[in-house]
Amino acid sequence: MKEKLWTTTFVVNMLLNFIFYLVFYLPTVVIGTMAMERYHASASIAGILSGIFIVGGFIARLWAGNNMKRLGAKKLLYIGTLIYFLLTFAYFFVHSVVLLLILRLVHGLGFGIAATASGTLAGAIVPSSRRGEGIGYYALSVTLSSAVGPFLSMFLYRTSGFYSLIWLSALLLFIALVGIFFIHAEKTTDSSNSVDNKVHKKFAWSNYFEKEALPISLIAFLIGISYSSILSFMDAYARNIHLSEAASFFFLVYAITVLLSRPITGRVFDGFGDNFVMYPTYLFFALGLLLIGFAHSGWMLLLAAIFIGLGYGSFSPFGQAIAIRNSEAHRLGITTSTFFGFMDMGVGFGPFILGMFMPLLGYRNLYFASAILALLIAVIYHFVHGRHAKREN
């Protein structure tokens, strides 16, 4: 008999994570455009306004991972969500680019704490025999937010203005605060057993990074860089090739693909092992990026979305499952923060890294280069994890 997966805590935690990432996308997608229109900010400053939120989130993930065992997942959920909620109102009082940059950095702290607590809780409550399947379902919360968030952000910004996004963000985070009440997190709240909390009083890299999770986290960082070419440049590229209408459905097709494939890929991962899923993931991702680069019609762009869904959409949950597989219970928070911290940094810094090559390559060649990077990632994966996983399975 299968162990129970769909508990109240699991479902509520999924909804909380959906809200955290949806609120991340709502202002982030248009914050650069708003700054250029309202404050006449440069394109480089506009990019920093998006990326600096991720920097704040990364710092917070390290702190949250280090303090997960001491404070517990539920308490950190409250702390992170409360910071996230309260600082959302600060956007109403910021009227300069400098203050906006500071706010974005600090606002990212709330997101980082809340998302790390949610991810750690997911890893703790999912039955070990259904870890790939369970984490796969949980990660749908991120996938759905990545589809709904950009669409909703651009639509509301055009129709109702920037502050409508802030009000919606505040409402969603208030719902999240109420939702935390229904979370039961006994597995991550016991600070009295086995772990000597004194270790956290002295600085050590092991308090912030899980060594065993670094190989797959490096892969996550590189995947994040490659994916940022879609998140940051798709809108401008689609306008350039006159496919804006098709591009508006790109993330919807991406999300539907992940929704339909996740039950299958989760069971395959649990039944046949890491490599059976991960190697095709990189190939599908590369094919999707190639199709974006070659796109001359709407159907090609939407076909690319299917491959991106099978590729990038499958990496996050199964990468997390690999990262936490051998993690000790008291290191689960640090392991989760290591994996998602690296992935977030890839997505956050990707626009800066790829943007340096944009004047030389142009949009199409940028996607071709990102596809090549995806294939190189598959080679790196083989050497840092794949060949070892093959022996284990």
Side-chain angles (χ1 to χ4, degrees):
M1 185 176 177
K2 285 187 176 182
E3 295 178 271
K4 190 175 181 181
L5 176 63
W6 295 98
T7 61
T8 300
T9 294
F10 182 79
V11 173
V12 172
N13 191 42
M14 274 186 67
L15 293 173
L16 291 178
N17 201 51
F18 172 76
I19 289 174
F20 298 150
Y21 275 88
L22 183 61
V23 173
F24 158 67
Y25 282 111
L26 285 175
T28 298
V29 171
V30 299
I31 193 79
T33 303
M34 185 274 286
M36 287 189 285
E37 292 176 351
R38 187 174 298 179
Y39 306 122
H40 308 290
S42 65
S44 60
I45 292 295
I48 292 172
L49 281 168
S50 298
I52 200 168
F53 184 95
I54 297 293
V55 174
F58 181 69
I59 294 169
R61 283 186 183 280
L62 297 181
W63 179 86
N66 187 36
N67 289 277
M68 186 66 63
K69 192 62 184 179
R70 183 171 63 87
L71 297 175
K74 188 167 184 176
K75 186 176 290 186
L76 282 174
L77 273 173
Y78 273 122
I79 292 171
T81 308
L82 191 61
I83 293 171
Y84 207 4
F85 172 68
L86 293 176
L87 286 177
T88 299
F89 293 100
Y91 285 92
F92 292 112
F93 305 101
V94 168
H95 300 291
S96 73
V97 172
V98 174
L99 289 177
L100 193 58
L101 283 166
I102 295 171
L103 173 59
R104 292 289 292 166
L105 177 67
V106 181
H107 200 204
L109 297 176
F111 165 76
I113 295 170
T116 300
S118 178
T120 302
L121 181 62
I125 63 177
V126 168
S128 58
S129 64
R130 304 182 69 182
R131 179 154 286 170
E133 183 185 0
I135 295 296
Y137 282 124
Y138 169 78
L140 285 176
S141 58
V142 180
T143 302
L144 290 174
S145 67
S146 70
V148 176
F151 169 78
L152 204 56
S153 176
M154 291 184 283
F155 175 76
L156 288 177
Y157 182 71
R158 287 197 305 268
T159 58
S160 305
F162 180 72
Y163 290 129
S164 66
L165 298 172
I166 302 305
W167 281 116
L168 178 58
S169 297
L171 175 62
L172 289 168
L173 289 171
F174 177 77
I175 293 171
L177 280 170
V178 175
I180 297 171
F181 177 79
F182 298 96
I183 290 284
H184 300 286
E186 292 85 355
K187 287 188 178 182
T188 59
T189 55
D190 182 9
S191 59
S192 63
N193 61 13
S194 74
V195 181
D196 184 2
N197 289 323
K198 292 180 180 178
V199 72
H200 297 296
K201 295 180 180 179
K202 185 177 180 180
F203 177 83
W205 287 112
S206 61
N207 291 342
Y208 300 93
F209 297 99
E210 176 52 60
K211 182 180 177 181
E212 297 299 319
L214 285 176
I216 196 65
S217 298
L218 171 63
I219 299 298
F221 174 75
L222 296 174
I223 284 283
I225 292 175
S226 194
Y227 179 70
S228 72
S229 65
I230 298 172
L231 201 59
S232 301
F233 303 116
M234 173 62 77
D235 184 54
Y237 173 58
R239 291 181 188 179
N240 187 264
I241 61 176
H242 309 294
L243 292 177
S244 293
E245 186 176 351
S248 65
F249 292 98
F250 182 92
F251 289 102
L252 179 62
V253 173
Y254 163 84
I256 291 172
T257 301
V258 177
L259 278 169
L260 294 177
S261 65
R262 188 57 53 77
I264 300 170
T265 53
R267 291 189 177 94
V268 170
F269 183 85
D270 286 332
F272 294 93
D274 306 353
N275 294 343
F276 210 85
V277 171
M278 297 304 277
Y279 283 123
T281 288
Y282 306 122
L283 179 60
F284 288 142
F285 190 33
L287 284 172
L289 290 163
L290 276 175
L291 280 171
I292 294 174
F294 279 121
H296 290 283
S297 59
W299 72 265
M300 287 187 71
L301 208 57
L302 297 182
L303 180 61
I306 293 174
F307 281 112
I308 297 297
L310 293 171
Y312 178 81
S314 295
F315 173 80
S316 177
F318 305 127
Q320 182 189 1
I322 291 170
I324 68 174
R325 177 181 294 137
N326 298 317
S327 175
E328 298 177 37
H330 69 276
R331 300 281 296 176
L332 194 57
I334 295 172
T335 304
T336 302
S337 68
T338 299
F339 177 77
F340 282 110
F342 272 77
M343 195 167 187
D344 286 351
M345 289 298 277
V347 174
F349 283 109
F352 305 122
I353 297 169
L354 297 178
M356 291 188 292
F357 297 98
M358 180 64 77
L360 299 172
L361 298 176
Y363 288 116
R364 289 193 187 277
N365 288 330
L366 184 70
Y367 286 109
F368 295 149
S370 295
I372 293 171
L373 175 58
L375 293 176
L376 287 174
I377 292 170
V379 176
I380 297 170
Y381 167 83
H382 172 75
F383 285 105
V384 302
H385 181 79
R387 56 179 179 173
H388 307 298
K390 186 176 182 180
R391 286 197 294 267
E392 291 168 4
N393 292 330

